[in-house]
Amino acid sequence: MIRFDCHAHVYETLTAASGARYAPAGTAPLSDWLAHGARHGIEGGVLVQVSFLGFDNAELCAALSKLDRRRFAGVAVVPFDVSEAELDRLAALGVRGIRWNLVRGAALPDFGATIVDRHLEHLRRRGLHVEIQLESPRLPLVVAPLLDRGLTVVVDHFGLPDKQEPAPPSWLRTRSAATAVDRLYVKFSGAYRSLVEIAPHAKALLDVLPADHVVWGSDWPHTQHEDRIDYDRTVAERGTWPEFSDTLAARNLYGIEPA
């Protein structure tokens, strides 16, 4: 049973950060997301900082301040040199993880750099996980070092598979994933962003991951794909995948519970 929408974005401003790859045509109000979820029996969820706003988490924080922290949480985007005080402030507002959006050829973090190593230690000490959006072929280069450093890792959008791989996918076949699979989670979200048929890929993931290490997300408002998908269709699509329950995963990752 799915009780939470663990990947959605809300924003009332369309002012893109410098260097942003896109800016949406319209806003995504918190009230609209809540209404979509209520219509489908969703009891809580996770708001993720939208990419076009960069490191400015003001919209995310404003939304979290209006929500019941027992049922809602957030994932922020911050620079590597973010202060410990800012991490503490975000955590106090309900942020439970930090997202790295590394798609479309973005440079991967230098895990040998002092600034990255220090940042990861700050996250680890606070129990903040790292959420990764990255194409499947490059995922092992990021997932393995994070797991080796004791971080919990959440892989976005099924791992963005670009082809039908032998099960399980390459990033789940690394030694790090095999030995630290208890700290590895996957979001079943954004299927329409994938280049492969998702149902068999979802089954392959569920065959390897612990049963309580998967969460679902609508990816609302489906930025850059608004003409192809909507909230109702993401829920209907979910019914074509293998069944799973998200209650324990949501509790362990985000500290949220059903109403």
Side-chain angles (χ1 to χ4, degrees):
M1 176 181 293
I2 306 300
R3 297 180 180 273
F4 300 99
D5 179 353
C6 290
H7 194 98
H9 314 287
V10 301
Y11 43 88
E12 300 284 353
T13 180
L14 299 176
T15 305
S18 175
R21 292 190 295 263
Y22 73 95
T27 59
L30 174 63
S31 58
D32 287 4
W33 175 59
L34 294 174
H36 286 311
R39 194 170 66 253
H40 291 284
I42 297 296
E43 300 181 49
V46 179
L47 293 174
V48 178
Q49 170 71 348
V50 69
S51 298
F52 79 89
L53 291 179
F55 299 137
D56 182 358
N57 294 286
E59 294 272 348
L60 171 69
C61 293
L64 289 175
S65 70
K66 301 172 185 176
L67 296 169
D68 183 346
R69 215 160 295 160
R70 294 169 297 182
R71 296 188 294 118
F72 295 91
V75 173
V77 174
V78 298
F80 290 136
D81 61 355
V82 64
S83 69
E84 292 190 76
E86 176 63 4
L87 289 176
D88 289 338
R89 184 186 77 86
L90 292 170
L93 286 169
V95 167
R96 298 293 173 254
I98 300 300
R99 191 188 198 206
W100 291 359
N101 187 342
L102 303 173
V103 294
R104 299 182 185 176
L108 301 184
D110 178 1
F111 288 101
T114 299
I115 191 172
V116 176
D117 193 59
R118 183 183 297 120
H119 176 63
L120 294 179
E121 179 59 20
H122 292 165
L123 299 183
R124 190 191 63 79
R125 289 208 313 262
R126 289 165 175 79
L128 295 170
H129 63 258
V130 178
E131 177 176 326
I132 306 167
Q133 180 176 214
L134 181 61
E135 301 88 354
S136 183
R138 295 200 295 159
L139 269 173
L141 302 174
V142 178
V143 170
L146 289 173
L147 293 175
D148 290 343
R149 283 165 170 75
L151 275 294
T152 293
V153 176
V154 180
V155 174
D156 267 354
H157 304 332
F158 297 92
L160 290 177
D162 64 343
K163 61 183 179 180
Q164 294 290 174
E165 289 190 88
S170 59
W171 49 273
L172 267 174
R173 296 198 300 268
T174 65
R175 182 180 63 181
S176 299
T179 58
V181 70
D182 59 311
R183 288 186 279 107
L184 182 58
Y185 292 75
V186 177
K187 284 189 176 182
F188 278 21
S189 59
Y192 53 90
R193 299 180 187 272
S194 172
L195 299 177
V196 307
E197 185 182 352
I198 280 296
H201 182 73
K203 182 182 184 305
L205 293 176
L206 288 169
D207 285 344
V208 176
L209 291 166
D212 54 358
H213 278 232
V214 173
V215 293
W216 173 79
S218 67
D219 199 26
W220 187 83
H222 325 294
T223 54
Q224 303 182 81
H225 296 270
E226 296 91 341
D227 59 337
R228 295 177 51 201
I229 195 77
D230 57 36
Y231 202 102
D232 293 342
R233 279 183 281 177
T234 63
V235 173
E237 179 183 61
R238 193 179 71 199
T240 68
W241 307 335
E243 290 188 9
F244 62 94
S245 172
D246 63 347
T247 302
L248 189 53
R251 178 187 304 152
N252 291 341
L253 272 179
Y254 308 110
I256 56 179
E257 302 276 0

